[in-house]
Amino acid sequence: MVDNATLLAIDWGTSSLRGALLGADGAVLDERASSRGILTVEPGGFPAVFEAEFGDWHARAPLTLISGMAGSKQGWVEAPYCACPAGAADIAGTLAWIAPGRIAIVPGLTCEHDGAPDVMRGEEVQIFGTLDLLGLADGRFVLPGTHSKWADVQDGRVRGFATAMTGEFYALLRKHSILARTLPADEAAFDAAAFDDAVRGALAARGLLGSAFTVRTLALFERLGAAALESRLSGLVIGEELRAQGDLRGQDVIVIGSAGLTARYERALAIAGARARPMHAQATWRGLWNVARSLPAR
Amino acid sequence: MVDNATLLAIDWGTSSLRGALLGADGAVLDERASSRGILTVEPGGFPAVFEAEFGDWHARAPLTLISGMAGSKQGWVEAPYCACPAGAADIAGTLAWIAPGRIAIVPGLTCEHDGAPDVMRGEEVQIFGTLDLLGLADGRFVLPGTHSKWADVQDGRVRGFATAMTGEFYALLRKHSILARTLPADEAAFDAAAFDDAVRGALAARGLLGSAFTVRTLALFERLGAAALESRLSGLVIGEELRAQGDLRGQDVIVIGSAGLTARYERALAIAGARARPMHAQATWRGLWNVARSLPAR
């Protein structure tokens, strides 16, 4: 074991806790994951969980940076959102220090659009990491998920972003709506044709309130099987998300997400005429390393 | 008691069962309601429930017409959908007879748009009744509800229609989504300003996947109170429904629904620049009476 650790990078989310020990060049020396997401931690219990899960690594690294929901109201310490435009250096300047110079929580980002604020917490670190890994300073990003984030980056800073509650709408419709009655109880195999057709339909449709009902009517008239209906619903919500971004033809979009979801967004973006660039590598550690590098010399 | 009944009109829905005894001119002689919606009736149990609830009136009326979900797969007898364009006479020609010449179930309507079928069951009868009560042959209708229906009528026939799952989306977001955490547990008083602002926002927005998230972020930054958030969510989903109908400015729209919902749609339609004409009278009995009148003489 060589003692060249420079950073303990931690992604403390709602339902998971992951960490990595990084070397001088940002290389990942070791990784570790546990199920102690913030929902499992009682108020005041964060220091003890941190010590139990990462005490040994913390002793070896001069600095620990934590991103994710650990910085929310329900987390360890609330880290107020950093206003856009914001890059790794802006983030580094607004850390919420737990142990000055030793442990800090990375703030999320906020921006204003359409008369209301928008927020992200954790995705910005993945964006900064991806910029570094791909050697880019500009780009349009989508981070698909429960709450997908679309972000525009210029000169290494997030200029603005928008949330789409795509994954959550899918889950609500899949589990709790009238559509659940005609969908298979268990997850079905992916049906590419039904998915693609639904994406095309959603891109041409006026909105999800209407298009979602086709999952029911196509079942009613037995024009689509139960397994295909599930892929149709997935295509409808993802297609609706893309429709709401405006004309995507000819655009490059960097997709950061799980392998399965990224593959679906690649398909959907291609149908919308965009060029999708999937980012499969782990970008969070690299992003936190970039924030650490942006700190003033100590 | 005078024996001048001409029709026993029944609206047998998912969760309620209502009936009216009509006179020679379609006047309502008497009305009755029970909680025996089709969900409470076991397979094969429909004749017994009908006899128990309406046997006396059935004996007095030469004809019984039943609309609503009693004609669905889970109902008494499945009444296949009648294809648009369809008016009361088309409906009268495609009744599903239970006792020939005596008891029939009124079919719903179907049409095709955006590559998929659409359906309504019960709303068409309210539309026919409203046309008769208002002395109209043409009009644009909205019937707000769990699944709102927008219908275009020409020469007394529904030319086409579209469903919006507005009420169901509202309930899903209100009860099961992340937004439920910041909304009050019980129904809050209506906040007109928050509702109107949300309708304006939704009409200018790109879709509900994005706009719905503002219910969370406005709460997060304490820019809107819990009660106002509920009215905002209502305005966002209704505004999204209107947005999807295209430019409504200068249009007349007849609104058929419950008093509370109709009032909200009137507000929202006015914001969208349309002229709303609320239909408060009971249109179902009149609609079934129109279907009965359209039957060939027996």
Side-chain angles (χ1 to χ4, degrees):
Chain A
M1 193 203 309
V2 284
D3 240 357
N4 57 349
T6 58
L7 177 69
L8 170 53
I10 291 184
D11 173 20
W12 205 334
T14 304
S15 55
S16 72
L17 169 59
R18 303 180 311 122
L21 200 57
L22 306 186
D25 52 357
V28 176
L29 304 177
D30 206 351
E31 282 186 288
R32 192 182 282 173
S34 96
S35 57
R36 299 303 307 271
I38 72 161
L39 290 181
T40 73
V41 183
E42 290 181 16
F46 286 91
V49 173
F50 173 72
E51 184 58 31
E53 301 287 340
F54 291 105
D56 53 340
W57 284 2
H58 174 56
R60 288 175 57 195
L63 176 67
T64 296
L65 290 182
I66 303 170
S67 68
M69 296 303 283
S72 69
K73 262 178 194 153
Q74 293 75 38
W76 190 343
V77 163
E78 188 175 359
Y81 295 98
C82 184
C84 285
D90 304 286
I91 290 279
T94 54
L95 297 177
W97 289 99
I98 288 168
R102 285 280 287 148
I103 310 177
I105 300 211
V106 173
L109 299 189
T110 185
C111 68
E112 184 93 9
H113 60 83
D114 303 315
D118 206 336
V119 293
M120 60 165 68
R121 205 182 268 288
E123 292 89 350
E124 70 292 337
V125 169
Q126 293 180 268
I127 292 172
F128 300 141
T130 299
L131 288 171
D132 189 24
L133 289 167
L134 298 182
L136 296 173
D138 307 285
R140 189 168 195 187
F141 290 78
V142 59
L143 296 92
T146 303
H147 297 166
S148 294
K149 308 290 178 182
W150 285 75
D152 283 309
V153 175
Q154 286 174 33
D155 298 326
R157 302 172 86 202
V158 176
R159 313 298 297 187
F161 62 90
T163 300
M165 297 176 68
T166 310
E168 182 157 14
F169 271 63
Y170 176 79
L172 290 170
L173 293 168
R174 177 71 180 88
K175 292 177 202 158
H176 298 293
S177 81
I178 194 172
L179 309 182
R181 295 189 205 166
T182 40
L183 290 167
D186 299 318
E187 198 180 337
F190 181 65
D191 183 320
F195 177 85
D196 291 357
D197 188 54
V199 171
R200 274 187 291 270
L203 288 172
R206 288 268 176 83
L208 193 59
L209 292 179
S211 65
F213 196 60
T214 62
V215 173
R216 175 159 175 78
T217 58
L218 288 170
L220 213 51
F221 289 91
E222 294 172 359
R223 279 165 52 173
L224 215 53
L229 288 171
E230 190 181 55
S231 293
R232 178 175 181 83
L233 180 60
S234 173
L236 288 175
V237 293
I238 293 173
E240 165 72 0
E241 178 184 332
L242 267 50
R243 183 194 66 75
Q245 309 310 316
D247 190 352
L248 289 167
R249 282 174 296 179
Q251 295 213 24
D252 290 292
V253 180
I254 300 166
V255 187
I256 309 176
S258 68
L261 214 43
T262 297
R264 292 194 185 196
Y265 275 72
E266 280 189 74
R267 292 190 78 91
L269 282 163
I271 291 169
R275 284 184 295 270
R277 183 167 180 180
M279 177 63 196
H280 293 305
Q282 170 56 257
T284 298
W285 308 148
R286 192 73 177 187
L288 286 172
W289 190 67
N290 269 275
V291 173
R293 274 200 310 183
S294 301
L295 282 171
R298 285 164 298 142
Chain B
M1 191 204 315
V2 284
D3 240 355
N4 59 349
T6 59
L7 177 69
L8 169 53
I10 291 183
D11 173 19
W12 207 333
T14 304
S15 56
S16 73
L17 169 59
R18 303 179 313 121
L21 200 57
L22 306 185
D25 54 357
V28 176
L29 305 177
D30 206 351
E31 282 186 287
R32 192 181 283 171
S34 95
S35 57
R36 300 303 308 269
I38 71 162
L39 290 182
T40 73
V41 184
E42 290 181 16
F46 285 91
V49 173
F50 174 71
E51 185 58 33
E53 301 287 340
F54 291 106
D56 53 340
W57 284 4
H58 175 56
R60 287 174 59 193
L63 176 66
T64 296
L65 290 182
I66 303 170
S67 68
M69 295 305 282
S72 69
K73 264 180 194 155
Q74 293 75 37
W76 191 341
V77 161
E78 188 174 358
Y81 295 98
C82 183
C84 285
D90 303 287
I91 290 279
T94 53
L95 298 176
W97 290 98
I98 288 168
R102 286 280 284 146
I103 311 177
I105 298 208
V106 172
L109 299 188
T110 186
C111 68
E112 184 94 7
H113 60 82
D114 302 315
D118 207 337
V119 293
M120 61 165 66
R121 203 182 270 288
E123 292 91 350
E124 69 293 336
V125 169
Q126 294 178 267
I127 292 171
F128 300 141
T130 299
L131 288 170
D132 190 24
L133 289 167
L134 297 182
L136 296 173
D138 307 285
R140 188 167 195 188
F141 291 77
V142 59
L143 296 94
T146 304
H147 296 165
S148 295
K149 307 290 178 182
W150 286 76
D152 282 309
V153 175
Q154 286 175 35
D155 298 326
R157 302 172 87 199
V158 177
R159 312 298 294 188
F161 62 90
T163 300
M165 296 175 68
T166 311
E168 181 158 14
F169 271 63
Y170 175 79
L172 290 171
L173 291 168
R174 177 75 180 84
K175 291 177 204 160
H176 298 291
S177 80
I178 194 173
L179 309 182
R181 294 190 207 166
T182 41
L183 290 167
D186 298 319
E187 198 180 338
F190 182 65
D191 184 321
F195 177 85
D196 291 358
D197 188 54
V199 170
R200 275 188 292 270
L203 288 171
R206 288 268 175 83
L208 193 60
L209 292 179
S211 65
F213 196 61
T214 63
V215 173
R216 175 158 177 77
T217 57
L218 288 169
L220 212 51
F221 289 89
E222 294 173 0
R223 279 166 54 173
L224 215 53
L229 287 172
E230 189 182 57
S231 293
R232 178 174 181 84
L233 180 59
S234 174
L236 287 176
V237 293
I238 292 173
E240 164 73 0
E241 177 183 332
L242 267 52
R243 184 193 65 75
Q245 310 310 315
D247 191 353
L248 290 166
R249 282 175 296 179
Q251 295 214 23
D252 290 292
V253 179
I254 301 166
V255 187
I256 311 175
S258 68
L261 214 44
T262 297
R264 292 192 184 198
Y265 275 72
E266 280 188 75
R267 291 190 78 90
L269 282 162
I271 291 168
R275 285 184 294 270
R277 184 167 181 179
M279 177 63 195
H280 293 305
Q282 171 54 258
T284 300
W285 309 148
R286 194 72 176 186
L288 286 171
W289 190 67
N290 269 275
V291 173
R293 274 199 312 184
S294 301
L295 283 170
R298 286 161 301 143

